[in-house]
Amino acid sequence: MEEEFNSGRSRGSSKRTLQITPLDEEDQEEVQIDDSGDVDSYDDDDDEEEEDEDKEPVGLGVLEKPENSWSLLRELFPSKAGGTPAWLDPINLPTGRSCLCDICGEPLQFMLQVYAPLTEKDSTFHRTLFLFMCTSMTCLLKDQHEQWKRNQDKQSRSVKVFRCQLPRDNSFYSSEPPRNNGKDKPSSPGAVLCGWCGTWKGDKFCGGCRRVYYCLEKHQTFHWKSGHKQRCLPSSISQDASEPSNNKNLREGQEVASKSLWPEYEIAITDECEDKVSDDNGQVNSLISSSRVDESIEALMDSFEGGDDKKSWASFQERISRTPEQVLRYYRDAGAKPIWPTSSGQPSKADIPKCTYCGSRRAFEFQVLPQILYYFGVENDVHSLDWATIAVYTCESSCDGHVAYKEEFAWVQIASQSSTTQR
């Protein structure tokens, strides 16, 4: 039954399984220093990994426009980028400062989510990872200093990751596989979301119509000035003036007023071919041309300082050139490592904090590539948002607990680390 359930999803039957080989205890506590005084990278073990014939291929995420208007609804457990999140637990959303950039205080913008169930535990039958970030490059540069702090509680981050998981039998979805015919429905409605950003829970409402909710007063102001002032109609006289309307449209299928969200795509996962390099014919189904990818690579190359970074980028470029349109690399194998675009700015083992909920170590799970910014229409100028890669580390135990959305850890590597990294 489980195989049948999972076969109806875009990820197919090749899911990452939670069989993480723990690091030696000594490796966790000690940071190795070489003769040059450099800290060993989190991923530079003394013994190079041997080729494993049974090694699972890396899953490559490429962006596609959804085939149907219902393809990315939460009851279909999608992997998606841009737009608004399809919350797995639709009720117990992150709240408070978890939703905000710790640096500027603005609400974080949804970037992507990856549906990544694990078969080892009943509680991870459904499991989704959500990535959010502040759209300010100024905040991201400050974030670079913060991520080096060994105490995660003292970090002020502009990039945040949340993990949510559910057992097969839950109050939100049917235990049967979705039919993917447009007729699937969730078992219960979700929380009221902000009418401006459509992302975070709306705990404030318009005092006029009492039908639109907001996560921040600032978003209510934005919506009012953008046109809600003309469309706001007083609520029914019979409506209790002290209570907001309970219109179901606020919960499901709510139209988002903000025009600054990134465009929405489905993330389709394909296996990486180790020995195949893509040619121009492979770009037929790509939403961006290879020339645009080449331009971004050249721009990053110009920003690198030193030969080691350029060598690392050349190796990185060779690897991704097999599928230039990839925006995400998902690693199914235990002990997997990211491919780092630059030699500088890589974390040591001690730089990856333990899970703040159970104390387990965090393991690398996926990385996001800068090509996604072109799909999002982000300008390529000095002040625009940019990075070399974002590596996401999650609790190797995928622990349970009363917190529905557990914050995980993202390591951001930008093009030039010389002026931002601090050990």
Side-chain angles (χ1 to χ4, degrees):
M1 178 72 76
E2 179 175 335
E3 181 178 356
E4 178 186 358
F5 192 103
N6 288 332
S7 66
R9 319 257 179 75
S10 61
R11 290 190 59 81
S13 60
S14 54
K15 305 292 193 298
R16 177 180 184 269
T17 57
L18 191 66
Q19 295 180 353
I20 305 298
T21 303
L23 302 171
D24 292 338
E25 291 297 327
E26 294 179 352
D27 289 339
Q28 176 191 0
E29 303 298 334
E30 296 181 11
V31 179
Q32 301 297 325
I33 309 295
D34 62 22
D35 293 337
S36 65
D38 293 332
V39 181
D40 278 355
S41 165
Y42 182 88
D43 300 293
D44 289 339
D45 293 332
D46 293 335
D47 52 337
E48 294 294 332
E49 68 270 21
E50 297 179 357
E51 291 296 328
D52 186 356
E53 294 181 358
D54 297 327
K55 181 179 177 182
E56 287 281 353
V58 176
L60 304 182
V62 296
L63 300 187
E64 299 177 350
K65 282 296 185 181
E67 293 184 3
N68 304 287
S69 59
W70 43 262
S71 297
L72 301 180
L73 296 178
R74 61 181 175 88
E75 56 266 28
L76 299 181
F77 312 103
S79 291
K80 65 185 294 287
T84 59
W87 294 111
L88 183 60
D89 180 332
I91 297 293
N92 304 296
L93 309 186
T95 58
R97 292 200 60 82
S98 296
C99 312
L100 307 177
C101 171
D102 294 329
I103 297 170
C104 70
E106 293 295 321
L108 296 170
Q109 184 148 314
F110 172 69
M111 176 178 286
L112 59 81
Q113 65 186 75
V114 180
Y115 181 65
L118 303 174
T119 60
E120 283 68 25
K121 297 169 61 177
D122 292 339
S123 62
T124 57
F125 185 86
H126 296 297
R127 178 174 176 271
T128 302
L129 304 172
F130 298 82
L131 177 62
F132 298 83
M133 74 184 309
C134 179
T135 58
S136 167
M137 187 63 189
T138 300
C139 290
L140 185 59
L141 291 173
K142 293 179 180 179
D143 180 280
Q144 291 292 288
H145 294 283
E146 294 292 326
Q147 70 181 3
W148 291 98
K149 294 180 179 179
R150 297 289 171 81
N151 188 340
Q152 189 178 6
D153 293 336
K154 296 182 179 180
Q155 294 175 350
S156 296
R157 301 301 307 274
S158 69
V159 181
K160 296 183 182 180
V161 183
F162 298 96
R163 167 175 55 87
C164 183
Q165 55 200 43
L166 296 171
R168 181 168 187 167
D169 293 317
N170 61 80
S171 60
F172 305 123
Y173 308 102
S174 169
S175 61
E176 296 300 315
R179 294 167 291 179
N180 290 289
N181 59 2
K183 298 181 180 180
D184 296 296
K185 301 294 181 183
S187 301
S188 61
V192 176
L193 301 177
C194 176
W196 177 255
C197 69
T199 299
W200 306 107
K201 182 180 291 188
D203 55 4
K204 304 171 180 62
F205 58 90
C206 174
C209 65
R210 314 184 91 79
R211 293 181 179 275
V212 185
Y213 290 69
Y214 303 98
C215 63
L216 290 174
E217 291 183 8
K218 180 182 293 186
H219 282 189
Q220 181 178 8
T221 301
F222 289 161
H223 195 193
W224 185 260
K225 292 181 178 179
S226 70
H228 183 62
K229 179 179 181 180
Q230 286 72 40
R231 295 187 294 270
C232 182
L233 299 176
S235 57
S236 172
I237 297 176
S238 61
Q239 175 73 32
D240 185 344
S242 65
E243 296 293 334
S245 168
N246 194 31
N247 191 324
K248 291 184 178 179
N249 289 333
L250 295 170
R251 298 178 179 270
E252 304 292 337
Q254 175 176 309
E255 182 179 354
V256 178
S258 174
K259 304 302 181 184
S260 62
L261 301 181
W262 286 316
E264 188 174 54
Y265 298 95
E266 182 174 4
I267 300 178
I269 304 295
T270 61
D271 288 342
E272 181 180 43
C273 296
E274 294 288 344
D275 56 353
K276 181 180 179 181
V277 178
S278 177
D279 53 24
D280 291 340
N281 292 331
Q283 292 290 326
V284 173
N285 294 322
S286 175
L287 298 180
I288 56 173
S289 67
S290 60
S291 62
R292 295 198 72 185
V293 175
D294 292 339
E295 289 173 2
S296 66
I297 290 174
E298 291 297 329
L300 282 170
M301 286 286 285
D302 292 339
S303 69
F304 291 152
E305 300 177 4
D308 289 343
D309 277 348
K310 292 186 177 181
K311 289 179 182 178
S312 295
W313 183 260
S315 175
F316 176 80
Q317 178 185 355
E318 188 280 328
R319 186 72 178 269
I320 66 172
S321 66
R322 301 166 187 171
T323 310
E325 64 269 31
Q326 64 183 281
V327 301
L328 179 141
R329 297 176 62 84
Y330 185 87
Y331 295 76
R332 303 184 181 104
D333 278 322
K337 305 172 183 180
I339 54 172
W340 295 106
T342 67
S343 60
S344 57
Q346 296 182 21
S348 70
K349 295 173 183 177
D351 288 320
I352 307 303
K354 293 181 179 180
C355 176
T356 55
Y357 305 94
C358 72
S360 296
R361 296 171 186 166
R362 284 191 171 101
F364 169 66
E365 188 158 351
F366 71 88
Q367 69 184 112
V368 184
L369 307 181
Q371 287 91 320
I372 196 171
L373 294 172
Y374 288 96
Y375 288 91
F376 286 166
V378 176
E379 296 294 332
N380 186 20
D381 59 49
V382 67
H383 299 297
S384 296
L385 190 66
D386 197 12
W387 66 81
T389 196
I390 300 174
V392 172
Y393 296 80
T394 59
C395 174
E396 66 179 11
S397 299
S398 203
C399 62
D400 302 313
H402 68 281
V403 179
Y405 286 88
K406 297 176 176 61
E407 190 168 348
E408 297 289 8
F409 185 76
W411 186 272
V412 183
Q413 190 182 61
I414 63 174
S416 177
Q417 297 283 336
S418 60
S419 62
T420 57
T421 57
Q422 291 187 355
R423 297 258 178 204

